[in-house]
Amino acid sequence: MILRQCVERVAQTIEASGAGVVGLQEVDKYFDARSNWVDQPAWLAARLKMNYVFAANLDWDPLEPGKPRRQYVPTSTEVKTLTAHWTDTWPEKGFGLGFTSAVPLPTKRIDFQLHSPQLVPTAASVPASLASDHLPVAATYSLS
């Protein structure tokens, strides 16, 4: 199944990063046929043996009665609202333009790591990966 292979590539990328906390966008939860109506956050959490929390940007009725609600996480259109409250890590610790989309030759920066004043960024990078149509953004922080 193509979906499972794509989500498995994302899981492998997360696993290889050694990250203790992972934030994902554009993750489907029973959203539509493109993800085969799968709860991707639950699948990834089970595969990676991690806990997860999911919050939807879109929360639509199911197409068929009795099926789960169709949900989708926020996209980059919400960045201005978010950066009014949190700081963009890339300008502080990233190197270069931080382009993340579209793979394999990104020309736009549409993926972000944001932090509160309690976190001090120590590094930010855009690791190479073919797991998605976006490149990941990795960052490390210390508590102030």
Side-chain angles (χ1 to χ4, degrees):
M1 167 187 238
I2 292 173
L3 163 72
R4 189 123 330 163
Q5 292 169 349
C6 292
V7 179
E8 175 60 26
R9 285 195 313 260
V10 171
Q12 290 171 1
T13 300
I14 293 168
E15 207 166 42
S17 76
V21 177
V22 178
L24 300 171
Q25 69 177 32
E26 296 184 25
V27 178
D28 289 2
K29 184 172 182 175
Y30 308 117
F31 191 70
D32 68 15
R34 76 176 186 182
S35 58
N36 200 30
W37 307 99
V38 169
D39 182 345
Q40 291 179 333
W43 188 94
L44 285 163
R47 162 64 178 76
L48 295 166
K49 296 178 179 66
M50 297 177 90
N51 296 317
Y52 77 100
V53 175
F54 178 85
N57 181 44
L58 303 178
D59 187 6
W60 295 350
D61 291 332
L63 292 178
E64 298 176 32
K67 296 286 187 178
R69 294 186 65 76
R70 299 180 300 144
Q71 299 180 336
Y72 192 79
V73 297
T75 63
S76 63
T77 58
E78 291 79 20
V79 170
K80 285 185 181 179
T81 300
L82 295 172
T83 56
H85 301 281
W86 294 289
T87 303
D88 182 1
T89 300
W90 191 261
E92 290 187 28
K93 290 295 176 179
F95 179 75
L97 299 173
F99 289 166
T100 58
S101 182
V103 169
L105 299 171
T107 59
K108 295 183 271 185
R109 181 173 179 249
I110 64 171
D111 301 284
F112 300 83
Q113 290 276 357
L114 305 176
H115 65 277
S116 68
Q118 293 80 18
L119 294 175
V120 177
T122 57
S125 65
V126 177
S129 173
L130 297 176
S132 171
D133 62 339
H134 297 232
L135 292 175
V137 180
T140 56
Y141 302 90
S142 62
L143 289 171
S144 63

